[in-house]
Amino acid sequence: MTRQLSGSPFLKPFFLKTPVSPLRQRRHTLPASEFRNLTPQDAISVFEIEREAFVSVSGECPLTPDEVLNFLGQCPELSLGWFEEGQLVAFIIGSGWDKERLSQEAMTQHIPDTPTVHIHVLSVHRHCRQQGKGSILLWRYLQYLRCMPGLRRALLICEDFLVPFYLKAGFKEKGPSAISVSNMHFQELEYRLGGQAYARRNSGC
């Protein structure tokens, strides 16, 4: 609809526009839910979530601040963050590995152009736990890896109580890991990336 101002033949018609609410504008600039690769600029948020999640349970963080920065600088394409209204709520960090099983060196190294991804850490912000976000993020990450040429599998280590979570996501047990941290022992699991990525309906994202 157009409206013309009266009183001057030189004034052109203008379109009446419905005012946009601040909330709508905010959602346009900050998506309600966004998944993207992490960058070194996200390192502080990553470590804050990681520290709160792991130190309270085991007293150890899977990655130090320097290691977070290192992996996000070397292989950001092997990470995935879940952001809500611009805030990081969950993340996964991985790196490349070139051997059949994970060793202590895999904890700090990234080997480029390899068929294996080592998943170092999956963590969810304390205010967003018990909502299924870890499962959703892991599913999305694995489907994302399927689309990356040359990748064939993902490996990770975890404590015994987390094994059922990863088995439910499609991982298979490879047995006890050779890696130990502060007298903690782990199981090693593997996920085969064969096949095509597929769309998941009603994922809750």
Side-chain angles (χ1 to χ4, degrees):
M1 178 184 296
T2 61
R3 177 184 175 189
Q4 187 170 357
L5 293 177
S6 61
S8 172
F10 302 104
L11 292 176
K12 296 182 179 180
F14 65 94
F15 289 95
L16 294 176
K17 297 182 179 180
T18 303
V20 179
S21 70
L23 178 60
R24 221 173 138 190
Q25 288 178 328
R26 184 184 178 193
R27 285 182 176 173
H28 179 72
T29 56
L30 292 175
S33 190
E34 177 188 21
F35 296 84
R36 66 165 172 83
N37 296 131
L38 299 168
T39 70
Q41 286 69 40
D42 298 311
I44 293 176
S45 296
V46 164
F47 188 70
E48 287 178 350
I49 294 174
E50 180 194 23
R51 179 176 56 189
E52 192 280 330
F54 288 92
V55 170
S56 60
V57 176
S58 64
E60 294 281 345
C61 284
L63 298 175
T64 67
D66 286 343
E67 289 165 349
V68 170
L69 276 172
N70 180 51
F71 288 128
L72 295 187
Q74 289 193 71
C75 48
E77 73 281 1
L78 297 180
S79 68
L80 188 65
W82 186 345
F83 295 80
E84 291 187 342
E85 300 291 346
Q87 300 298 312
L88 182 66
V89 297
F91 68 88
I92 292 176
I93 293 178
S95 65
W97 185 241
D98 62 350
K99 295 180 176 61
E100 176 63 24
R101 299 288 297 264
L102 295 171
S103 66
Q104 204 74 39
E105 290 76 20
M107 304 298 284
T108 56
Q109 291 183 13
H110 164 59
I111 311 297
D113 303 320
T114 60
T116 300
V117 175
H118 171 202
I119 299 176
H120 291 269
V121 57
L122 184 165
S123 189
V124 178
H125 193 284
R126 65 182 182 277
H127 296 311
C128 301
R129 293 177 196 150
Q130 306 302 316
Q131 299 174 21
K133 280 184 164 56
S135 297
I136 293 171
L137 179 63
L138 179 60
W139 186 91
R140 282 183 172 264
Y141 182 74
L142 294 172
Q143 300 312 307
Y144 164 72
L145 293 182
R146 286 176 183 270
C147 298
M148 299 184 70
L151 291 183
R152 296 290 178 266
R153 63 186 188 135
L155 293 174
L156 61 81
I157 61 170
C158 68
E159 294 181 81
D160 289 343
F161 75 94
L162 286 171
V163 169
F165 170 81
Y166 288 107
L167 292 179
K168 187 176 180 180
F171 283 79
K172 305 296 182 184
E173 292 186 78
K174 291 181 71 68
S177 173
I179 299 170
S180 63
V181 178
S182 298
N183 296 320
M184 297 170 59
H185 299 282
F186 307 97
Q187 295 295 317
E188 185 168 336
L189 293 93
E190 177 184 60
Y191 184 93
R192 289 285 175 176
L193 294 167
Q196 298 297 317
Y198 55 93
R200 182 185 188 185
R201 296 181 181 178
N202 301 322
S203 66
C205 302

